[in-house]
Amino acid sequence: MNGFVKVVKELPPEVASKEPVHVDCSKRKGQFDYVESVLPSLLEHKYISITPAMSQRRDRYPLYAKSALCQACYKALRLSRALETKASELLDAIPKPFLSLHLRFEPDMVAYSQCEYRGLSPASMKAIEEAQVDRKPWTGDLTRIWRLRGKCPLTPNETALVLESLSIPPTTNIYLAAGDGLMEIEGLTETYGNIFTKSSLLSREDFTNMHGNTKAALDYYISINSDSYVATYFGNMDKMVAAMRAFKGLYKTLFLSRRGFAELTSKGLRGKELMAALWKVHRDDFAMGRGSALPECFCEFKF
């Protein structure tokens, strides 16, 4: 909260000698408004204690108050000490500069998308079928409509093509932020050879003993500290990484357009023509180095 409000560790004697007026905000029904329910008591008594409400209105907060709230949350976000130490060691092991690529093409991800893919290896097709259960791919016109809406994850090969269209050199150091079971990785490594992963940088014992959430936390830490960040999806982790990078002033963040890729390929574009069109789709975001709009509180009133 530094820069927004003055925080003290001890109360002044003239205040500490008084009993604060208690305002209980936790038992209110519906949306709670601090302006209506707390501010009058604060102005009257000068010294109050409150039980915070989890559900509250924020639409009438002034911008500096919204900024204080969201920036305080991001400043407070930390990994555990042991995990941050491990993440820092992992970061040190990656050659610099490097790009962190969040690539989502695991069997469960593809199965959940209900998208149909052609040209995948038999092993990938089998893994997808096993993960589908009752979520079968769309068929007929629905397949085309679903893909044109940008609902289908980019394959590693498609991702490599987009990166090439953005003139990202094949010699770029890339940290692969991805879950276990990533399929068709050869489609990326055939073009980009300097690929680094958790499994290649950590000891076998460390990697095999890690829970999935721990691995995701490592990917998050590496991604918010990378020289640039590119995501093929726009999930919760990507939103968190983008916001934290913006908060830290690291704006080289880009989300690849699945919809743009689908629209261009549906028109029959291939080769150099497709790459030129992909550059135009991503040009503005790539040049700005942001890749997504963020709340004003990340850009205004920053102390």
Side-chain angles (χ1 to χ4, degrees):
M1 302 301 289
N2 184 35
F4 294 100
V5 295
K6 184 179 180 181
V7 179
V8 296
K9 293 183 178 180
E10 296 182 0
L11 293 174
E14 63 273 16
V15 175
S17 61
K18 301 178 182 178
E19 186 68 24
V21 174
H22 183 66
V23 180
D24 188 357
C25 312
S26 62
K27 298 180 180 179
R28 309 297 178 93
K29 293 182 179 180
Q31 291 288 310
F32 181 79
D33 190 347
Y34 278 99
V35 175
E36 292 180 355
S37 303
V38 177
L39 184 58
S41 295
L42 178 61
L43 294 176
E44 179 182 355
H45 302 288
K46 309 299 182 185
Y47 180 33
I48 64 174
S49 67
I50 63 173
T51 304
M54 294 302 293
S55 178
Q56 55 188 276
R57 288 183 59 181
R58 296 193 179 99
D59 57 301
R60 295 196 300 170
Y61 283 16
L63 188 56
Y64 67 83
K66 295 178 182 178
S67 179
L69 177 64
C70 72
Q71 291 189 34
C73 289
Y74 275 88
K75 282 185 178 180
L77 186 59
R78 295 285 189 279
L79 300 183
S80 67
R81 184 172 300 177
L83 187 54
E84 187 165 359
T85 298
K86 181 62 65 177
S88 180
E89 293 173 358
L90 182 60
L91 179 63
D92 290 341
I94 303 172
K96 313 296 188 297
F98 74 98
L99 177 154
S100 179
L101 174 64
H102 191 206
L103 181 57
R104 298 300 312 272
F105 203 69
E106 305 90 351
D108 58 339
M109 183 68 179
V110 176
Y112 181 79
S113 73
Q114 295 184 272
C115 294
E116 187 177 46
Y117 289 87
R118 297 177 181 176
L120 301 184
S121 68
S124 295
M125 293 301 297
K126 181 180 179 181
I128 294 170
E129 289 174 4
E130 291 175 350
Q132 281 173 342
V133 191
D134 58 346
R135 294 184 68 88
K136 301 303 180 183
W138 297 111
T139 58
D141 286 343
L142 287 176
T143 300
R144 180 181 58 83
I145 294 171
W146 198 243
R147 185 170 291 277
L148 288 175
R149 288 180 180 176
K151 300 295 185 179
C152 299
L154 293 174
T155 68
N157 184 61
E158 292 168 344
T159 300
L161 181 61
V162 179
L163 295 181
E164 281 188 284
S165 74
L166 299 176
S167 299
I168 295 177
T171 55
T172 301
N173 295 318
I174 297 178
Y175 173 79
L176 196 57
D180 295 337
L182 186 65
M183 303 181 298
E184 305 291 315
I185 187 60
E186 298 80 9
L188 176 68
T189 57
E190 285 176 358
T191 302
Y192 292 93
N194 296 337
I195 300 292
F196 301 89
T197 63
K198 295 180 290 295
S199 60
S200 66
L201 296 172
L202 295 172
S203 69
R204 184 179 182 85
E205 182 181 3
D206 276 348
F207 184 76
T208 54
N209 290 335
M210 278 185 181
H211 189 273
N213 288 340
T214 302
K215 295 176 182 178
L218 292 180
D219 285 341
Y220 166 79
Y221 183 90
I222 299 300
S223 296
I224 65 173
N225 289 289
S226 61
D227 297 284
S228 52
Y229 178 74
V230 175
T232 63
Y233 202 69
F234 193 50
N236 290 332
M237 173 174 159
D238 305 298
K239 295 171 185 176
M240 285 291 296
V241 169
M244 184 61 84
R245 287 179 62 82
F247 182 70
K248 296 175 65 173
L250 302 173
Y251 291 117
K252 291 184 179 179
T253 303
L254 181 68
F255 298 99
L256 303 187
S257 176
R258 290 164 291 154
R259 176 179 292 181
F261 187 90
E263 289 176 349
L264 294 173
T265 52
S266 70
K267 295 176 181 177
L269 298 185
R270 297 291 184 272
K272 292 183 179 180
E273 190 178 15
L274 174 59
M275 293 179 70
L278 285 170
W279 163 249
K280 290 180 181 179
V281 167
H282 295 90
R283 176 175 54 196
D284 292 341
D285 287 343
F286 188 65
M288 289 175 62
R290 292 175 183 261
S292 68
L294 292 168
E296 290 180 335
C297 65
F298 282 98
C299 307
E300 304 291 339
F301 301 103
K302 189 171 181 179
F303 291 86

